[in-house]
Structure formats: structure tokens, C-alpha cells
Amino acid sequence: MFKVPDHQVAGHVAGVGKLGPLVDDSGRFYKPLQDGKRGTEEVSFYESFTSNTKIPENIRKFFPIFYGTKIMKASTGTEHPHIVLQDLVSSRVSPSVMDIKIGSRTWAPEATEAYITKCLKKDRESTSVSVGYRLSGLRVFINDESGFYKPERDIMRKAGPDDVKLFLMKFVSSNPESEPDCSLAGSVYGGLNGILSQLLELKAWFEDQTMYHFYACSLLFMFEKGSALKGATTNAQVKLIDFAHVTEGKGVIDHNFLGGLCSLIKFISDIIPDKNHHENGQIEPQTAD
């Protein structure tokens, strides 16, 4: 049975007459193909990435599993082609999720002038240009009684650099609705398996890979808030999503994505209270088994 995702924090939300993603009970996520080239190019990226033998195994874990495409009844009630992907939160209980669009520039070189103008406006009005990334959505579990904290999208869009840091702090605080205490920063952002370690592992790849340039892609942060509050494992994970604007790297480093990633790493490193990582505020990335 298909249903609207409970934990979606950004992008088009399915509704009456509105095209949006669906999930099923088997752990799969059905994303409607976007109009024009964007849909076909996203499929092309997944096909290319999945079959690319040059992708290190420790990097594949950061990408959703791709199951192909399927023409099916969409949220609008009409038949529509979908990309079938891994539902990244299907096995989680009350997960906290944050969507961060990476890069100071969110448009690909061959984009139309109208699309570039549209993206430039968003990039300049948000922190994309000033910080190198912007927050697209946030949903943080509070507790069983209070449910979730989820700021309005307009608030997220208008967030400045100080607001961004505040939201990054709220994401790892015991109660995101009050003054952030960052009580979970060490267990979620820090540690050998924490988000910072995973970001550093990604950074090491982006410092070397020249196959792809990722425009308007997002990093998805996830962790189990309920478990974290009880002192159990947070199961913190980082995933890359949204690949409608990926272009060939042509032997050139993706400085746009790498710059935003480095900026995010610095912000998060400054939040972690436990300085048992290295003197530069970073820990060594954990390699795959």
C-alpha cells in the first residue's frame, strides 16, 4: 500500500492533486520523475553511478539504493513514471531528519537563463552564497508526548548564518523548542561513527573525484532521537539525495560542492563540545570495513 512519507522535510509534498513522493511497506521510496530533462537526467545519473566501477565501496553507502523506474498511479491519481529508491527512514523509529542543500551555486552550467535567474535569487536570499549551503528542511523528535519540532519552510528559507548555526544546534538538543543545549552533539555529530566523521569521509572523496559535479544536491542527516535520549546508539547517518542536476566532472574537482561541504564541516566541528578529536576540531574519517 502506498502512502505519503511521514518524515519528508523538503521538496514537493504529495497531496490532493499534487505530485509528490510515495513510500510502501517494503522500504521503497517512489519519486515522481520531474518534467523535462531533470527527470531523465536524474535517472541517467543513478544508472551511471550504479554501474560505475570506479566508485569506492565506502562511498556507495552515502547514496540511496536505486531499483530502477516504474510507471504507476501517482499521488495525483494519474499514471506517472517514478524513480524507485531505498526509503532511507523506513527502518527507523521517530527519526530526526535534516535536509541541507550543498553548494553556493545550485544551477548547472547548461541551465537556461530563466532557471539560472530563479536559482540565483534563491541562492542570494538564503545562505547558499554566503555560507556555501542552506537548510531546506528540519524535523526533530522531541518526545512521545510532544511529537516533532518542524519549523515552517519560509523560516528555513530566510535563515541567515546565525540562524543556520542555531538550527544545527537545535538538531542535537534535548528540546529543540527551547534554548539549545546541544546535549546530543557529542553522540550525534562526534565520535568515530558520528556525522562529522562521515562528512570527512565524503570530503576525502570529493577532494579526489572528478567524475561528477553535484549541483543542487542535498545532504540528509538522520539519527534516532529516542535512543539518543536514553543513552543508546544514535544510528546517525549521512546520505546524498536529489540528482536532477548532476553533470560530468570532465576531470575537474567539484569545488562548488566541496566548498559547501567544508563550510558545513567547520560549522559542525565548532558545535561539538567534546574536543577529543584532533586539534583542528576534526576527527579522522572512519574507513569502510
Side-chain angles (χ1 to χ4, degrees):
M1 181 178 177
F2 298 109
K3 60 183 179 181
V4 177
D6 291 330
H7 303 291
Q8 184 179 350
V9 295
H12 300 286
V13 178
V16 178
K18 292 183 178 180
L19 195 61
L22 300 169
V23 295
D24 63 17
D25 295 327
S26 70
R28 297 196 176 188
F29 182 92
Y30 300 83
K31 180 179 181 179
L33 257 68
Q34 298 183 60
D35 294 334
K37 292 172 59 179
R38 285 184 283 182
T40 56
E41 288 182 354
E42 185 159 23
V43 173
S44 294
F45 166 76
Y46 274 113
E47 291 174 343
S48 167
F49 183 87
T50 302
S51 62
N52 192 337
T53 57
K54 295 180 180 179
I55 305 297
E57 284 305 313
N58 69 304
I59 295 301
R60 290 189 183 278
K61 70 184 178 186
F62 290 108
F63 292 78
I65 299 171
F66 172 61
Y67 296 108
T69 59
K70 178 182 178 70
I71 297 175
M72 53 180 272
K73 186 174 287 187
S75 55
T76 56
T78 59
E79 296 289 311
H80 191 90
H82 290 67
I83 302 175
V84 187
L85 303 167
Q86 171 190 11
D87 181 0
L88 298 175
V89 298
S90 63
S91 62
R92 293 176 176 269
V93 179
S94 303
S96 291
V97 181
M98 180 158 51
D99 183 306
I100 307 171
K101 192 175 293 291
I102 303 295
S104 59
R105 166 179 156 178
T106 58
W107 44 273
E110 65 274 10
T112 64
E113 188 173 337
Y115 188 75
I116 292 173
T117 300
K118 176 184 174 182
C119 290
L120 271 174
K121 185 175 186 295
K122 287 184 179 180
D123 294 347
R124 288 169 176 166
E125 290 176 350
S126 68
T127 57
S128 290
V129 171
S130 60
V131 175
Y133 62 88
R134 68 174 180 255
L135 302 188
S136 296
L138 175 71
R139 191 172 189 263
V140 185
F141 181 66
I142 304 173
N143 53 48
D144 292 331
E145 293 74 30
S146 302
F148 290 84
Y149 163 76
K150 185 178 181 180
E152 293 294 327
R153 288 195 181 186
D154 282 347
I155 294 175
M156 304 296 288
R157 287 195 190 103
K158 297 174 183 177
D162 290 340
D163 302 312
V164 166
K165 187 165 186 177
L166 182 65
F167 282 126
L168 287 169
M169 294 168 69
K170 284 177 174 288
F171 188 63
V172 290
S173 292
S174 55
N175 185 357
E177 293 186 314
S178 59
E179 190 70 21
D181 56 21
C182 297
S183 61
L184 304 173
S187 58
V188 176
Y189 287 150
L192 289 176
N193 297 305
I195 283 174
L196 180 58
S197 178
Q198 295 175 54
L199 292 178
L200 289 168
E201 194 172 355
L202 264 179
K203 174 175 172 279
W205 184 60
F206 272 94
E207 288 173 333
D208 181 65
Q209 80 88 15
T210 59
M211 295 175 286
Y212 305 107
H213 284 187
F214 294 86
Y215 295 102
C217 295
S218 288
L219 288 175
L220 202 66
F221 289 1
M222 302 169 285
F223 78 98
E224 296 285 1
K225 178 77 172 288
S227 298
L229 291 173
K230 298 173 184 176
T233 178
T234 64
N235 194 18
Q237 274 189 316
V238 175
K239 296 283 186 178
L240 277 98
I241 59 171
D242 298 337
F243 306 112
H245 303 282
V246 178
T247 63
E248 289 185 21
K250 299 179 181 178
V252 179
I253 295 288
D254 186 356
H255 292 288
N256 179 62
F257 191 98
L258 180 60
L261 180 58
C262 288
S263 176
L264 179 59
I265 285 171
K266 177 64 167 62
F267 265 61
I268 290 177
S269 181
D270 288 344
I271 293 172
I272 300 175
D274 182 7
K275 295 302 179 184
N276 62 8
H277 39 289
H278 290 197
E279 292 179 1
N280 64 358
Q282 299 178 359
I283 56 178
E284 291 296 324
Q286 186 181 31
T287 56
D289 294 334

